[in-house]
Amino acid sequence: MQIYWIKAQAPLRVLALCKHLGVQAEFIQLDPTDGSLKTDKYAKLNPNMKAPTLVDGETVLWEASAIMVYLCQKAGSDMWPANHAAEQVDVIKWLSWNDCHWMEAIGNFYFEYIVKSTFNFGQPDQQAIEAGLPLFHKYAAVLNQHLQGKDHVACGRLTIADFQLASMARYWQESQMPMQDYPNIVNWLNKLMQLPAWAEPWPL
Ligand SMILES: N[C@@H](CCC(=O)N[C@@H](CS)C(=O)NCC(=O)O)C(=O)O
């Protein structure tokens, strides 16, 4: 099995999951600045020309959430509740909320501070950060309320929803997200950091 990745939040979830579940794979690092995502060979695997992409024999998969489900099924992990319909609904709800709302609310902080500094794309744009604050507060309040008295986002245990929602939020301090106003989110992120695979997700 091969997993193509770059040093960014969507591949991060998949890499952390592989490490957490002990899934063996060949991890192939690409770089968005050197054209390696844009080759014809890679575009045949992932027509979006983005990472991550998983190749396992005849199976070729893109989208981090689908790849995480595939890996859980392969490893027999209940981080994806394969045999429990109501739990699947719970996980899907939060994956969807992440992709439609949470990513939009925190994505500009992550892009301006983490993506730009990782790939030398220039200085953060403070105006973009400030413009994103109302949306940040709107959705941080939703997640903070949901996490009251909880350590996990869905199913009352660690699932792929935690990895999906935390992959940008984990950088809240470095990217100036005003997360200190949302203590339940901070508590959840801190507890996730106690997982060795989450704390150090990148392949050696
Ligand atoms: N929805 C996709 C997002 C994939 C994506 O946007 N990957 C980014 C890294 S987080 C990427 O490859 N960016 C490089 C580029 O667009 O050139 C997923 O969940 O896998």
Side-chain angles (χ1 to χ4, degrees), residues 6-14 31-33 37-38 42 46 48-53 62-67 99 103 110 115 119 121 164:
I6 65 170
K7 199 161 187 196
Q9 58 89 30
L12 182 154
R13 307 169 204 158
V14 166
D31 183 338
T33 66
L37 288 168
K38 310 278 187 233
Y42 189 68
N46 185 336
N48 305 291
M49 296 184 229
K50 291 184 183 291
T53 304
W62 33 269
E63 289 302 310
S65 45
I67 294 172
D99 294 356
M103 275 190 66
Y110 173 77
V115 175
F119 299 112
F121 288 165
Q164 187 94 346

Side-chain angles (χ1 to χ4, degrees), residues 9-17 64 68 98 103 163-164 167 198:
Q9 58 89 30
L12 182 154
R13 307 169 204 158
V14 166
L15 297 172
L17 186 67
M68 289 196 291
N98 180 75
M103 275 190 66
F163 282 13
Q164 187 94 346
S167 63
W198 187 252

Side-chain angles (χ1 to χ4, degrees), residues 92-111:
I92 294 284
K93 171 180 140 182
W94 286 105
L95 297 180
S96 175
W97 183 81
N98 180 75
D99 294 356
C100 296
H101 304 305
W102 188 228
M103 275 190 66
E104 193 191 357
I106 63 176
N108 62 331
F109 296 85
Y110 173 77
F111 178 77

